[in-house]
């Protein structure tokens, strides 16, 4: 299938997704479930990877800023900028594309091959809207929380490294406060909203159009992760150009 | 009642259904039978509206499916129950939640009335004890019964069953057949069953439509199959040794 066919099918799917829900109460219930499934169940992973990456970045910055001409707080400052600008939005979303994206694609793909989506349609349910809209809304809602968590725990990871004696904790704290630009947090959150939409919608697309058997669901899941990741990286460049440069 | 009038359906250059006409009566179990690849599934999907026919009409109690507005199709969908080959129960919901789902989506009645209706349907299919279990926790036969309960919860006028006995042992198949037959008569539903299970044909075939190579080969009831005079039908129905013996016995009588 060529690129334009994918774009056409994706657009048609999204047109079906963004219609008025048949029952607002059902949408609300599904939406809360998705927040719990995609967001709350990703918090632990977010915390763990953020602490480790924050720690690693801090150690690398210590090594790279050993020049006596540079003030000691530069380590904290560069760690903060790396986390805020790139890790806590882009890299975190690439990791979540693996977890959340594959989960969405395999869930919807399984529903497709076991005729559950056909069952919904024959009942008269708008299957696109019922299945996909809560996933998109849920993930877009919860992603800023995950990004803020990631920033906090990433910086905490750096602080833990500072406590081991690699650098002075006070210099680190001074560095993460120095010349702080709050817009970087806004920029990161805005990016993550786009990325969350990409992950949930692209993964839903691959799951929704899966056909065949279990093998195809696996392929749909892989395609969802790979393509979400590529689109995220493309949009990272575009959004950075639009929001930061 | 569902009427199919002169329906033709093609996929590309391949014509799968040729000028099929049939009447599926209410309160009766109408069976579509035929060999694999004969076009019976396409016929059923065309009647449901999953496939659009190239020529001909599908009439639901006189209402032409092709001329219905989107809203009218939506209303029709609520009058339709469907039993899928693989049950198609929602994995993430319990049996009770599966049965309740159509009510949540479409019924404006009170929650108490929903509860009563769900309890009635589960009781009717003998699954009250399994209400809190998930589909993965129950047997194939129970899944089929749960799917029947879900299909009838909105009191449908039309019930479609796609290979309802697929993957079931003969005894459970008989239970499912009898349940479909009883429900059809009890609630005056127009039921269409797509099957190639000859036990079902002999058990519940109030009306049987035989599709052969995309053409309607024969139409009648289960008792008149023996005198059909249609070789293709006899080749299908009496293919197994058991049914060959049944036919021999019938002829002797």
């Amino acid at each position: 299938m060529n690129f334009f066919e994918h774009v056409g099918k994706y657009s048609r799917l999204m047109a079906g997704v963004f219609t008025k829900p048949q029952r607002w109460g059902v949408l609300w219930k599904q939406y809360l479930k998705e927040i719990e499934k995609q967001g709350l169940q990703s918090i632990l992973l977010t915390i763990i990877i953020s602490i480790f990456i924050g720690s690693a970045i801090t150690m690398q910055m210590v090594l790279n800023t050993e020049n006596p001409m540079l003030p000691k707080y530069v380590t904290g400052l560069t760690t903060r900028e790396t986390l805020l600008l790139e890790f806590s939005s882009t890299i975190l979303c690439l990791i979540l594309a693996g977890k959340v994206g594959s989960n969405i694609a395999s869930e919807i793909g399984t529903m497709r091959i076991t005729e559950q989506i056909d069952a919904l349609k024959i009942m008269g349910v708008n299957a696109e809207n019922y299945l996909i809209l809560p996933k998109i809304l849920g993930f877009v809602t919860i992603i800023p929380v995950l990004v803020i968590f990631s920033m906090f725990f990433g910086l905490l990871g750096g602080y833990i490294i500072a406590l081991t004696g690699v650098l002075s904790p006070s210099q680190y704290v001074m560095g993460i406060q120095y010349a702080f630009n709050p817009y970087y947090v806004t920029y990161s959150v805005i990016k993550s909203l786009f990325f969350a939409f990409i992950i949930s919608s692209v993964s839903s697309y691959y799951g929704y159009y899966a056909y065949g058997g279990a093998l195809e669901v696996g392929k749909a899941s892989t395609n969802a992760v790979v393509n979400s990741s590529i689109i995220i990286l493309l949009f990272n460049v575009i959004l950075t150009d639009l929001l930061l440069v | 009642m569902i009427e199919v009038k002169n329906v033709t359906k093609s996929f590309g250059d391949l014509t799968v259904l040729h000028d099929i006409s049939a009447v599926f009566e209410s309160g009766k179990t109408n069976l579509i039978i035929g060999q694999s690849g004969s076009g019976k599934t396409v016929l059923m999907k065309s009647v449901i509206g999953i496939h659009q026919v190239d020529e001909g009409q599908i009439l639901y109690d006189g209402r032409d499916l092709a001329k219905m507005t989107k809203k009218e199709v939506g209303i029709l969908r609520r009058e339709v129950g469907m039993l899928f080959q693989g049950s198609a129960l929602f994995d993430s919901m319990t049996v009770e939640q599966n049965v309740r789902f159509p009510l949540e989506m479409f019924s404006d009645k009170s929650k108490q009335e929903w509860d009563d209706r769900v309890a009635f349907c589960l009781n009717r299919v003998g699954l009250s004890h399994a209400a809190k279990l998930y589909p993965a926790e129950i047997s194939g036969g129970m899944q089929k019964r749960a799917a029947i309960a879900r299909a009838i919860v909105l009191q449908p006028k039309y019930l479609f069953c796609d290979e309802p006995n697929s993957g079931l042992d003969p005894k459970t198949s008989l239970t499912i057949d009898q349940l479909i037959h009883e429900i059809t008569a009890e609630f005056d539903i127009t039921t269409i069953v797509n099957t190639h299970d000859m036990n079902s044909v002999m058990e519940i075939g109030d009306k049987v439509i035989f599709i052969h190579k995309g053409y309607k080969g024969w139409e009648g009831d289960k008792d008149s199959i023996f005198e059909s005079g249609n070789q293709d039908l006899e080749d299908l129905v009496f293919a197994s040794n058991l049914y060959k013996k049944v036919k021999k016995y019938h002829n002797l009588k």
Side-chain angles (χ1 to χ4, degrees):
Chain A
M1 198 186 290
N2 68 39
F3 172 74
F4 293 107
E5 266 185 84
H6 277 297
V7 172
K9 275 176 81 177
Y10 173 83
S11 307
R12 218 170 51 198
L13 179 69
M14 288 303 117
V17 169
F18 291 100
T19 50
K20 189 183 163 207
Q22 286 162 300
R23 284 284 159 112
W24 287 101
V26 173
L27 172 69
W28 178 247
K29 216 165 80 175
Q30 294 293 102
Y31 168 71
L32 293 179
K33 257 189 207 171
E34 293 301 334
I35 287 184
E36 196 263 332
K37 197 163 69 180
Q38 297 174 21
L40 302 184
Q41 289 181 14
S42 298
I43 285 181
L44 186 63
L45 174 72
T46 302
I47 291 172
I48 291 169
I49 58 170
S50 300
I51 289 176
F52 287 137
I53 295 287
S55 306
I57 290 172
T58 306
M59 285 190 278
Q60 289 163 5
M61 290 305 163
V62 169
L63 288 171
N64 285 297
T65 55
E66 273 186 333
N67 191 324
M69 297 288 284
L70 293 170
K72 292 286 180 199
Y73 63 78
V74 168
T75 302
L77 188 147
T78 48
T79 300
R80 181 196 75 204
E81 301 294 63
T82 310
L83 286 170
L84 262 57
L85 291 172
E86 206 55 25
F87 173 75
S88 294
S89 51
T90 313
I91 307 299
L92 178 72
C93 284
L94 285 174
I95 293 164
L96 291 178
K99 182 186 181 289
V100 176
S102 64
N103 177 283
I104 290 175
S106 56
E107 182 190 324
I108 297 179
T110 304
M111 289 188 77
R112 165 65 75 193
I113 65 160
T114 55
E115 297 180 308
Q116 292 175 48
I117 292 178
D118 295 334
L120 285 170
K121 285 189 164 179
I122 284 171
M123 280 178 206
V125 177
N126 176 349
E128 296 95 335
N129 177 278
Y130 171 76
L131 288 174
I132 301 173
L133 187 61
K135 293 187 191 308
I136 294 176
L137 292 179
F139 198 40
V140 168
T141 308
I142 201 71
I143 198 73
V145 177
L146 296 177
V147 167
I148 302 293
F149 262 69
S150 172
M151 288 172 181
F152 174 78
F153 283 98
L155 293 173
L156 183 69
Y159 186 71
I160 292 167
I161 291 301
L163 288 177
T164 63
V166 176
L167 79 157
S168 153
S170 61
Q171 290 287 338
Y172 176 79
V173 172
M174 187 187 167
I176 61 172
Q177 291 174 329
Y178 185 78
F180 173 64
N181 183 354
Y183 177 69
Y184 286 179
V185 176
T186 311
Y187 157 77
S188 205
V189 168
I190 292 172
K191 275 204 307 183
S192 70
L193 295 174
F194 280 87
F195 298 159
F197 178 80
I198 290 165
I199 293 168
S200 48
S201 64
V202 171
S203 304
S204 299
Y205 166 75
Y206 279 100
Y208 198 79
Y209 289 111
Y211 63 92
L215 198 65
E216 276 69 26
V217 174
K219 277 184 195 166
S221 186
T222 306
N223 284 336
V225 175
V226 171
N227 291 302
S228 299
S229 302
I230 292 169
I231 299 169
I232 284 171
L233 293 171
L234 173 69
F235 268 76
N236 188 35
V237 177
I238 295 169
L239 291 169
T240 303
D241 187 40
L242 290 173
L243 297 170
L244 214 57
V245 180
Chain B
M1 184 173 73
I2 299 173
E3 286 175 86
V4 174
K5 285 186 177 174
N6 309 106
V7 163
T8 298
K9 174 70 189 168
S10 302
F11 294 100
D13 296 333
L14 181 70
T15 303
V16 183
L17 297 177
H18 300 266
D19 194 29
I20 303 266
S21 294
V23 176
F24 301 103
E25 294 165 43
S26 64
K28 285 189 175 177
T29 313
N30 304 273
L31 269 59
I32 303 174
I33 63 167
Q35 282 182 304
S36 299
S38 60
K40 60 185 191 301
T41 303
V42 175
L43 175 60
M44 191 177 201
K45 287 187 173 177
S46 300
V47 174
I48 299 167
I50 294 174
H51 295 321
Q52 281 191 324
V53 297
D54 301 327
E55 285 172 39
Q57 286 180 302
I58 313 269
L59 302 169
Y60 281 79
D61 289 309
R63 297 170 291 170
D64 190 340
L65 182 61
K67 289 182 183 161
M68 285 184 193
T69 61
K70 211 174 172 184
K71 196 179 172 187
E72 286 169 333
V73 172
I75 293 166
L76 176 69
R77 290 269 169 263
R78 280 158 230 172
E79 297 174 350
V80 169
M82 173 100 193
L83 177 60
F84 284 86
Q85 193 173 351
S87 301
L89 293 172
F90 304 124
D91 300 326
S92 57
M93 298 181 191
T94 61
V95 168
E96 185 186 26
Q97 287 166 342
N98 264 284
V99 178
R100 180 187 291 271
F101 178 76
L103 294 169
E104 284 183 358
M105 289 305 292
F106 300 114
S107 173
D108 291 322
K109 291 179 179 168
S110 69
K111 286 199 171 172
Q112 184 56 50
E113 284 171 299
W114 290 359
D115 290 342
D116 294 344
R117 181 69 190 155
V118 170
F120 170 80
C121 291
L122 286 174
N123 186 46
R124 183 66 192 79
V125 299
L127 273 186
S128 301
H129 63 287
K132 303 291 177 201
L133 298 177
Y134 284 88
E137 296 171 328
I138 59 178
S139 69
M142 288 166 84
Q143 286 180 11
K144 288 275 161 70
R145 283 192 277 155
I148 292 172
R150 187 178 67 181
I152 62 167
V153 75
L154 284 177
Q155 295 169 301
K157 289 165 78 175
Y158 316 100
L159 178 64
F160 296 93
C161 308
D162 184 21
E163 304 278 1
N165 299 329
S166 169
L168 300 179
D169 64 82
K171 198 177 171 190
T172 310
S173 293
L174 187 64
T175 310
I176 298 298
D177 281 341
Q178 285 171 345
L179 190 57
I180 292 169
H181 198 233
E182 285 166 16
I183 283 169
T184 299
E186 198 175 321
F187 304 117
D188 195 30
I189 301 171
T190 303
T191 298
I192 301 178
V193 181
N194 179 5
T195 186
H196 48 215
D197 182 341
M198 290 311 131
N199 290 328
S200 296
V201 175
M202 292 307 178
E203 191 65 36
I204 59 169
D206 295 334
K207 183 163 191 178
V208 181
I209 289 161
F210 171 58
I211 304 292
H212 183 65
K213 293 181 180 172
Y215 292 89
K216 188 171 88 174
W218 182 81
E219 184 177 344
D221 62 30
K222 61 183 178 184
D223 299 320
S224 53
I225 284 181
F226 291 99
E227 286 87 29
S228 73
N230 184 310
Q231 193 56 48
D232 296 321
L233 176 63
E234 291 195 1
D235 288 347
L236 175 75
V237 175
F238 307 115
S240 71
N241 282 334
L242 175 65
Y243 278 104
K244 275 177 190 153
K245 283 176 185 168
V246 170
K247 195 190 174 204
K248 202 173 167 185
Y249 174 72
H250 183 269
N251 290 342
L252 281 175
K253 271 211 311 183

